[in-house]
Amino acid sequence: MLVGLSNRSQNCNMDGNSTSDIVILSGNSHPELADLIANRLGVRKGGCSVYHKTNRETIVEIADSIRGKNIYIIQTGTKDVNNNIMELLIMAYACKTSSASSIVGVIPYLPYSKQCKMRKRGCIVSKLLAQMMCKSGLSHIITMDLHQKEIQGFFDCPVDNLRASPFLLQYIQESIPDYRNSVIVARNPGSAKKATSYAERLRLAIAVIHGEQKEAESDEVDGRYSPPCIPRSRTMDVSVGVPAHPAKEKPPINVVGDVGGRIAIMVDDMIDDVQSFVAAAEVLKECGAYKIYVLATHGLLSSDAPRLIEDSPIDEVVVTNTVPHELQKMQCNKIKTIDISILISEAIRRIHNKESMSYLFKNVTLED
């Protein structure tokens, strides 16, 4: 397990002349994280102004010369997701047309990563976004805990998908009293692999929540499910039609595993709409769990998430600072933040110095 990075990465100052050709730029999505990364690397942020005209068009102005420089653009996904994307694309293209040597996109939370599968007559939006990023001039992507690891295949450039699990595991060991009496809980069967990975590293048991929850919008019945009309004038009639796919019948929500008298720790890659987490926490409470924690990498916490968390049986929600959530923390005292800037800084340092990235993926498996 990767508990901490090497000593030199605690203060990732680069050697001698290596800082002369590195430029850190940031958009408006998460300037605080960009400042933390720049401070750890011991470099000054490049002069870059990103703003919107009265007609809401995005304007990017780079103050310093970047000809022949290695550019690192720090831009994450927030609630203002479409502006975040356009800022990133325009910044990358501005660097490309200004003859930058290389342009690396540092995108801790990749927007639209949930839309990575084909649904009905929709499209795979994350592939479209990946192609746009590559076309804009990005030659390398650093991201963290992609919703599906297969998204890396959508890019025509190298992608380093960093993991926040060492920081979350360290938090469990150091900040949850009596964590040995815990059980790792998968909120649904789909996240059982991640829960198993955490449980094996902490030598704990797992539990899985299964059953009927709020119906997803993509599962709603609409006219597209109606059977096709067969004209009478066909030369050949098929007496037995196409067999109907049996509908899923989910049982009432229940917990598979023993959580009675124990601490329940739910793990996931992101926490956005918290209603499913709250429903799971209520079931865990009914089954005897005396404390409930939720750990996730990306704390999007949309709409009225802080109020729902505050009124729920959840004792603590722990997320990293890949996405800014200071406003949500002011509304809910249960939200805690882990700083992962040291991991991103070390990744940038290793890429810039052409060092191996394997240390950052030590003991990482497909389930992480």
Side-chain angles (χ1 to χ4, degrees), residues 176-179 181-183 261-265 289-293:
I176 297 181
D178 193 25
Y179 82 92
N181 187 34
S182 301
V183 57
R262 306 173 84 174
I263 301 170
I265 303 174
Y290 74 91
K291 267 195 174 181
I292 300 167
Y293 291 80

Side-chain angles (χ1 to χ4, degrees), residues 49-67:
S49 178
V50 184
Y51 59 93
H52 301 279
K53 292 176 69 176
T54 51
N55 63 357
R56 302 307 298 157
E57 287 183 1
T58 302
I59 305 291
V60 171
E61 294 176 355
I62 300 174
D64 308 317
S65 171
I66 56 173
R67 183 177 294 274

Side-chain angles (χ1 to χ4, degrees), residues 86-314:
M86 283 309 298
E87 286 179 10
L88 173 63
L89 297 177
I90 295 171
M91 289 172 74
Y93 192 63
C95 294
K96 179 182 178 181
T97 53
S98 299
S99 303
S101 176
S102 68
I103 308 162
V104 180
V106 182
I107 315 166
Y109 169 62
L110 185 72
Y112 286 100
S113 59
K114 274 193 169 182
Q115 297 192 48
C116 59
K117 294 180 180 178
M118 192 67 178
R119 292 199 181 272
K120 294 180 186 173
R121 297 191 184 108
C123 63
I124 303 174
V125 183
S126 55
K127 179 172 183 180
L128 170 65
L129 185 59
Q131 296 298 313
M132 290 166 64
M133 287 180 179
C134 293
K135 286 289 183 185
S136 69
L138 293 177
S139 56
H140 197 131
I141 301 289
I142 300 173
T143 187
M144 184 170 286
D145 282 340
L146 288 171
H147 186 60
Q148 296 288 340
K149 295 167 187 64
E150 291 78 10
I151 293 174
Q152 295 175 77
F154 297 156
F155 289 87
D156 293 329
C157 65
V159 178
D160 286 311
N161 181 27
L162 304 176
R163 306 296 200 275
S165 52
F167 295 88
L168 298 175
L169 289 164
Q170 189 177 48
Y171 183 90
I172 292 172
Q173 292 173 317
E174 295 180 357
S175 302
I176 297 181
D178 193 25
Y179 82 92
R180 289 290 182 194
N181 187 34
S182 301
V183 57
I184 305 297
V185 179
R187 183 174 54 91
N188 52 48
S191 55
K193 284 186 177 180
K194 181 180 276 287
T196 302
S197 175
Y198 276 69
E200 287 175 351
R201 282 170 164 77
L202 294 167
R203 313 293 190 269
L204 299 175
I206 73 161
V208 180
I209 294 175
H210 179 250
E212 189 65 52
Q213 289 187 354
K214 184 173 177 281
E215 194 175 51
E217 190 178 336
S218 58
D219 295 331
E220 289 176 3
V221 175
D222 59 17
R224 285 172 288 189
Y225 287 106
S226 57
C229 297
I230 302 174
R232 291 287 180 189
S233 57
R234 297 268 183 178
T235 11
M236 185 165 51
D237 253 346
V238 182
S239 55
V240 182
V242 177
H245 203 65
K248 287 183 179 179
E249 292 291 340
K250 289 186 179 179
I253 186 168
N254 66 324
V255 180
V256 181
D258 181 23
V259 295
R262 306 173 84 174
I263 301 170
I265 303 174
M266 280 188 276
V267 294
D268 215 328
D269 62 321
M270 69 176 74
I271 175 167
D272 185 4
D273 182 9
V274 300
Q275 288 180 349
S276 57
F277 288 92
V278 171
E282 288 169 353
V283 173
L284 290 168
K285 202 75 175 176
E286 289 171 8
C287 291
Y290 74 91
K291 267 195 174 181
I292 300 167
Y293 291 80
V294 176
L295 273 68
T297 304
H298 310 297
L300 300 174
L301 303 168
S302 299
S303 61
D304 56 349
R307 180 186 60 81
L308 291 172
I309 293 169
E310 194 68 42
D311 298 340
S312 73
I314 297 172

